[in-house]
Every structure is written in C-alpha cells, then in structure tokens.
Amino acid sequence: MEIFSKHGTERAVDWEAAGLRWLGQAQDDGGARVAEVVSAEGERLVIERISESSPDRSIACDFGARLARTHQAGAEAYGAGPAGWEGSGLQGPAGNQLELPLNHHSNWGSMWAQERIAPLVRKVEDYGAHERGVFGELCALLREGNFDGSYGEGAIPARVHGDLWAGNVLWTESEAVLIDPTPYGGHPEDDLAALALFGAPHLDDIIQGYQQVSPLDKGWEDRVELHQLHLLLLHAVLFGADYARQALKVARKYI
C-alpha cells in the first residue's frame, strides 16, 4: 500500500482519524469507501494514498448509492461526533481550524440552528445587529422543526461526512473515496448540498444513485442552500465579506 502523511496538532490528527474510521465502519454494509488510516500518532497521520483518475457516470451513480448506505449507518444523536469521541471536533482547513460543537439534539433543525449557524454568525465580523436578527429568525424556525422532514424527533440521524465538497471525494478508476471528514450525526441533505456547493462532477448521477437506495424528502431541491449554510458561514468567518453576503442572502430566502 502506498501511503500519504499529514501533520497537524495531536488533536487534529486524532479527530481526522476518528472520523475516517467512523465513516469507514459502514463499508462492510456497502457504504462509501473511505481512505484507510494506517496510523495516527502524535502530530502525524498516515493514510493510504489514493491513485486518482477521472470519474464517469456509472462510478458517480455507484458512489451515490454507497453514500446513502453510509448515511444509513446512523449516529447516536443529531450533532454527535464519532462514537467514543469526547469534547468538540474541529472544522476548517488545516492550520486555521475552529471548534466544531458536538452537542446532542433530538432533531436536525435544533442542531443546525444552535451548533452550526448561531456560533458562526457570532464570529462573522461583517454582521451587525440587523444581519444577526435575520439569522435569529431563521434559527427560530429551525428549532421549531420547520425544515426537519424525515429527520425530526424519533428519527435516526444520518452518519454524515460533514465537509463533502468536491475536493474531499477522490475518484479512482473504479470508485469514489472519501477523505478529510468533519463528521457528525445530521441530515443526508447536509452532504448532498455540500457536493453541490463547489460543483462535484456528475452530481445528477450521484443523486440518482442515492435515491435508488434512499429516496430524499419531497422538496429537497428547495433546501439545498439551507443545508449549505454551515459551510458558507464557515467560509465567511475564515475568508470574509463575499461569503458573508452570500450566507445572509440564503438566510433571508428561508424566513
């Protein structure tokens, strides 16, 4: 096996390894392939090196089906991290990571409002009282379960990758491989919306394969931007005004 080494803080190494292993547990049940962790010691993470190729439609469709099975593996609660993980996780690029709250909630909307939107809105320097009020209105609707669909109280949360933009899916000649997770118990649309955010290849085929295994809730297309809001706000905190304006525009759309 060829290997790839990464370096970071000890906590960052442990967090990434825990996420890869947690997602990888679903592989035996037909879940998406995940880069194998060779070792995670101190400030060095070693994973298998993936030989990349260009994706085609059939591989994309297969990936969608496998991603659905990964989601079906479930999580302890909405907002929960990998089994056995204690404390907050990490989000954002290496060397510039923020805390990722992993508090437990009984429904998706409550988690999305309190752990993904509100903490980041407080960190966006471009927002004043009016802008924060817009997000406050949206968070109230989320907490009430207005956007939960099948992922309200009593439903099993999806085991999501959490940062599934196109760069965190590596394509080989035969399959897609997941890397760099920010995992938690969430909503399947969190991952699918992330794939759409920066243009994953053959996205329509990925969605088609996904729905063959796990049909999405009615109206999912209308909620894509809502499920992108976490990543938009994270980018607003890290990279500034353009993303802040985009996230605010999205928030207004749903209130």
Side-chain angles (χ1 to χ4, degrees):
M1 176 193 299
E2 293 188 44
I3 62 171
F4 176 78
S5 295
K6 300 178 66 175
H7 292 82
T9 66
E10 186 170 348
R11 185 163 183 80
V13 166
D14 289 344
W15 168 246
E16 184 170 345
L20 290 169
R21 288 166 173 154
W22 190 55
L23 294 173
Q25 290 171 1
Q27 292 175 138
D28 290 342
D29 294 317
R33 203 148 82 83
V34 180
E36 181 181 343
V37 177
V38 177
S39 66
E41 299 178 358
E43 298 181 349
R44 183 171 183 253
L45 173 68
V46 181
I47 62 175
E48 66 170 307
R49 182 181 292 275
I50 305 301
S51 297
E52 296 185 67
S53 184
S54 298
D56 64 27
R57 295 182 61 184
S58 63
I59 294 174
C61 188
D62 178 70
F63 168 57
R66 291 180 179 277
L67 180 62
R69 297 187 188 102
T70 296
H71 288 165
Q72 289 173 348
E76 182 180 357
Y78 294 99
W85 183 263
E86 297 183 0
S88 299
L90 296 169
Q91 58 182 328
N96 195 18
Q97 291 178 308
L98 304 177
E99 292 289 308
L100 179 78
L102 294 174
N103 299 307
H104 293 194
H105 293 262
S106 61
N107 69 308
W108 173 79
S110 177
M111 182 276 293
W112 203 242
Q114 294 178 222
E115 313 299 344
R116 298 294 176 267
I117 295 179
L120 291 174
V121 167
R122 289 193 290 268
K123 293 179 180 292
V124 178
E125 296 179 355
D126 296 278
Y127 292 155
H130 174 73
E131 290 81 8
R132 297 179 199 283
V134 171
F135 285 100
E137 289 184 51
L138 176 59
C139 285
L141 295 172
L142 283 161
R143 287 193 295 270
E144 292 169 4
N146 285 267
F147 305 100
D148 284 348
S150 300
Y151 289 83
E153 293 190 23
I156 298 174
R159 183 173 302 197
V160 302
H161 178 284
D163 188 19
L164 200 59
W165 71 286
N168 285 339
V169 182
L170 303 184
W171 303 90
T172 75
E173 292 181 348
S174 60
E175 60 189 345
V177 184
L178 302 182
I179 60 170
D180 292 348
T182 304
Y184 58 88
H187 195 301
E189 293 174 27
D190 299 348
D191 274 350
L192 297 175
L195 285 169
L197 185 58
F198 296 116
H202 302 300
L203 182 58
D204 288 346
D205 297 290
I206 294 172
I207 298 294
Q208 179 184 354
Y210 192 99
Q211 299 228 67
Q212 289 172 358
V213 173
S214 184
L216 295 167
D217 286 342
K218 182 179 179 180
W220 68 268
E221 300 99 327
D222 298 326
R223 294 186 296 274
V224 169
E225 290 177 292
L226 178 64
H227 287 268
Q228 292 173 340
L229 199 48
H230 167 225
L231 294 180
L232 287 174
L233 285 166
L234 179 60
H235 279 67
V237 173
L238 296 174
F239 306 118
D242 287 344
Y243 287 108
R245 285 191 290 269
Q246 188 176 351
L248 181 62
K249 182 179 179 180
V250 169
R252 285 178 170 144
K253 177 179 178 179
Y254 292 98
I255 61 176

